[in-house]
Each structure stands twice: as C-alpha cells, then as structure tokens.
Amino acid sequence: MAERTNNYALTITDVEATPGSKSGTLKFIRTLSNISKDEGGVAQMRCEAVGDPPPIKIRWYKNEAPLEEKRPKITIRKIHAQTHEHAAKNIAGSRLKITNLDVSDVGFYSCRVTNGKDQIQSEGTLRVGSTQKWQG
C-alpha cells in the first residue's frame, strides 16, 4: 500500500525505547480489534509493538485519513512499556480514546508503527449503536 501525502496535521505519538538485543523487524504485541459501543459511550483502542530498532512513531488513522487529537472528545496517549521479566525493552505503544460516541465516529481505525526502517499497521472497526430500544 502506498503512503499518501496530504496537508493534514498528523497526531504522532513519539516514543522512546532502548535498543533490544534481538534482531528482526517490527511486530505487534497488541493489535486493534473490532468493537461495538453505544451512543454516548467511550471507545478505547490500544496498539503496542516491539522491534529492533525500536518503534519511534505511532500514528492513528480513521478511514485512511490522519486522526487528530481533539480534546476532550479524542485523546491520544503514549503507553509506557510494562516491566516484567519477559518484557522486551524495545516496546512502544499508544492509546486512542474517543468519548461521547455518536454515528460520526463509526469507521475503520488503524494504527501505524514505524522504527525508521519498517512500518506495520493494525486495523479495527468501530461501530456505534443507538441506546434506544425499538418497540415492536
């Protein structure tokens, strides 16, 4: 897939990670999934990757367009790597949070991670349903 360039302002999560001892490319350790939420609710999506060299940028997209942070409705935060005995030091992540959901939030969301050499992408669909019950 070709990278498109446009005049959108990108919301980029800059991450700092220490180089790992393993060679290889980028790999997701947490990917996006399809989620369904009620109108007025909150949706959270997390994206985490590991690589050598470590991930340096994480970008969010909605329907292939760069997603901008628009507080308080849309927030994008860096996720700090969990520290436990099996965790690599070259892990980076980002969390997308959308509040007060409505039908305009429905779409295909993606998280693109790069380490300067490689780029990987994870995708998920957000569906927003009405909280009103139909009378039959």
Side-chain angles (χ1 to χ4, degrees), residues 98-111:
I98 306 170
T99 60
N100 195 24
L101 291 169
D102 61 42
V103 293
S104 69
D105 298 312
V106 169
F108 297 98
Y109 288 80
S110 60
C111 168

Side-chain angles (χ1 to χ4, degrees), residues 13 28-35 37 43-49 58-60 75-84 91-98 109-113 121-124:
T13 302
F28 280 110
I29 53 176
R30 180 175 291 206
T31 58
L32 301 183
S33 58
N34 297 335
I35 55 176
K37 297 289 184 179
Q44 291 191 57
M45 297 176 212
R46 289 174 57 136
C47 178
E48 294 178 43
I58 299 174
R59 298 177 183 176
W60 288 94
T75 55
I76 297 172
R77 296 229 169 125
K78 175 180 170 181
I79 297 173
H80 297 283
Q82 303 297 322
T83 359
H84 56 79
I91 296 174
S94 182
R95 184 196 73 192
L96 170 66
K97 182 178 178 183
I98 306 170
Y109 288 80
S110 60
C111 168
R112 293 181 192 164
V113 180
Q121 177 171 303
S122 178
E123 299 172 342

